Amino acid sequence: MGAMRKVLNWYARLSPSRGKTSPPYEHVVQIGDPRLRKVSDPVPVDKIKSEEVQKVINKLRLVLHKYGSVGMSAPQIGVNMRMFVMRHTAKQISAVPPEIAKSKGMSVVPFTVFINPKIKVVDYQKVIYMEGCESVQGYSAEVPRYREVEVTGYDENGESATRVFKLWPARIAQHEMDHLDGKMFTDLMERRTLTCACWEEVNLSKGKVVIPFNPE
Ligand code: CO
């Protein structure tokens, strides 16, 4: 084990708002934050249209877009409510080589909000691919996921909604669902496949590379 180094945090020290942030955040909390390990609380259905819950939904949408992610759960912005959002745009998919997008079963998913979701496995066959998480910034690993699932919950208007997801969208839904139960992909990963996304860059830059925890 190496010496613990102090985290360089010049920008935060310059910021007058340091220490004053409160959830829902506009950044994504990182593994080690105890909120990522809690079983989140259900949202009372009659509270879905409340200002408090709508604020969390709006922040989830904002952070999802800011980070360019395909899924984001409330615990990741510091709120232990059972809610997540997901989407996969044609533009995001077109950034992946077509043969890979096809083999992974990627397909367009419109922006979708799930509140108090329940997941039912439709196809128990598991598919293994590399997966990452905005709360484990800079790392990815192979994770087995069910091939097809059905998610039932409430949408942002408090209406009940059911969606069936196959392959990549099913992976996104299972990943986000796990966050609501305090689980991370690192609990399920094939441990020897854990990879730092920038390991090659570390060598090219002689170690002078940083992992950004906020894309702005
Ligand atoms: Co995640």
Side-chain angles (χ1 to χ4, degrees), residues 35-43 60 72-76 79-85 114-119 151-152 173-184:
R35 288 166 293 194
L36 288 172
R37 290 306 189 177
K38 281 191 182 153
V39 175
S40 288
D41 300 317
V43 180
L60 278 171
M72 192 65 60
S73 63
Q76 291 180 279
V79 178
N80 283 114
M81 288 182 183
R82 299 189 75 81
M83 307 200 305
F84 73 78
V85 297
F114 284 110
I115 301 168
N116 300 344
K118 296 264 191 289
I119 201 160
V151 183
T152 300
Q174 288 168 81
H175 176 116
E176 299 312 326
M177 190 72 202
D178 278 352
H179 278 302
L180 308 186
D181 292 319
K183 294 179 198 154
M184 306 284 293

Side-chain angles (χ1 to χ4, degrees), residues 186-205:
T186 50
D187 307 348
L188 305 173
M189 69 182 180
E190 308 285 352
R191 288 180 291 188
R192 286 176 58 87
T193 66
L194 182 64
T195 300
C196 177
C198 58
W199 69 267
E200 288 168 300
E201 196 53 43
V202 168
N203 299 336
L204 293 169
S205 67

